[in-house]
Amino acid sequence: MQKPSYLPLALLLIVSVLGVIFPAVPKGIVTEGINSGDTAWMLVSAALVLLMTPGLAYFYGGMVNNKNVISTMLQSFIAMGVISILWVVVGFSLAFGESIGGFIGNPTTFFMFNGVLDGKPWPLAATVPLVVFAFFQLKFAMITPALVTGSMAERVNFKSYVLFMILFSLIVYTPLAHMTWHPDGFLFKLGVLDFAGGTVVHMSAGWAALAGALYLKRRKSHMEASYFPPANIPFVLLGTGLLWFGWFGFNAGSAVGATPLAASAFATTNTAAAAAGLGWVLFDAAKGKKVSGLGFAIGAVVGLVAITPAAGFVTIPTSIFIGTVASLVSNTVAHLRTKSRLDDTLDVFPCHGVGGMVGMLMTGIFASKGVNSAVVDEGLAFGDTKLFFIHLMALVIVSVFAFGASYLLLIITNAILPLRVSEEDEKVGLDVSQHDEFLVDA
């Protein structure tokens, strides 16, 4: 038994009471302009993106050692609960509420989802109900902090992670979502193109992961150069399949309608993942390594990450190039990481952070008006330099903000609840020390 903890339950009860005090009863449902086909596609897309978080749980859970499988998977599942409630209370308002200086939304705009059921459709998703758009965006907010956990796996205190996840979502994720996707957002008005979250999701998670790995320092096993094999590579392959499947909602759903643009994003997503999976294992083979299931899985995910910001702006053949280049770059960075003292347990920064940055730069090179009429300035490959340099500047801004803010939040979290488990808990494994659960064959 551990010391009773009443505060988290009290907070949930308070939020539950707020749901009664502020029931957000609609005054009239908006039906004008709503397209049933677009709405159906967006509901399916939201469900597909939701599936990505359990997919991530399998992906990460299979890669850690067998003493930390349950704890690692639970860190993804708990995000589904915590962020879902946080998003209804204030998260959606902070990301998509009335803009405050182009950097953050007004927390009162949709507080407790007031005005969401009966609100006008989002201006950039005019044919679907606002509540559908809101819940589609929730799934992005849900998976982002879950991505971060891979860098801190096998040594992070569960309660501290939950606190950090809440702070990260409010202070890092929602401002980036607002700046990038709100029509009045700073990066949006600057001309940054991020179709489905290369900056908002993957770069923010990647830089937060790097901050976490640096702040938590190295695992005991890492310092001793001990090798613990992945607990379950079939889990990793299953997780990859779920992620790849769900990513069609992630990217094609970001067209916010059942349109030719959604079909284009669907196609570029699949093609980049295929190219990157092949690129990773063939690069390994060129270095004298055997083709591995783990390598193809990681490579495919890197391709999915890299195509995310570009999915609705580039052609299908171009996505082959993007996936291949991203896999080679991330593979190289991951290899260099293994030679360093950095203990990013599951290589979140090399895969998501670097993959997201590659994708952002590739968008600045290959974005085409022929694919998407929303492209004002075409990419570098078409002779226009403006978009590329805007993306280069945004890359620096987002990187500095995401890393700096995340590191500060880690310091704050640690001051409230120690982030690092004890050496004994780490040795026993987090499944037992944090959750009193374990694999039967552990």
Side-chain angles (χ1 to χ4, degrees), residues 168-185:
F168 173 85
S169 297
L170 295 176
I171 297 170
V172 178
Y173 180 84
T174 54
L176 283 176
H178 185 86
M179 286 189 279
T180 307
W181 288 332
H182 194 288
D184 295 323

Side-chain angles (χ1 to χ4, degrees), residues 185-206:
F186 164 65
L187 294 176
F188 187 97
K189 294 176 80 171
L190 194 64
V192 172
L193 300 178
D194 184 357
F195 193 73
T199 55
V200 180
V201 177
H202 297 293
M203 281 182 59
S204 70

Side-chain angles (χ1 to χ4, degrees), residues 1 3 44-45 83 99 134 180 240 274 292 300 305:
M1 291 291 291
K3 185 179 179 181
V44 170
S45 293
I83 303 302
S99 188
T180 307
T240 303
S292 68
V305 169

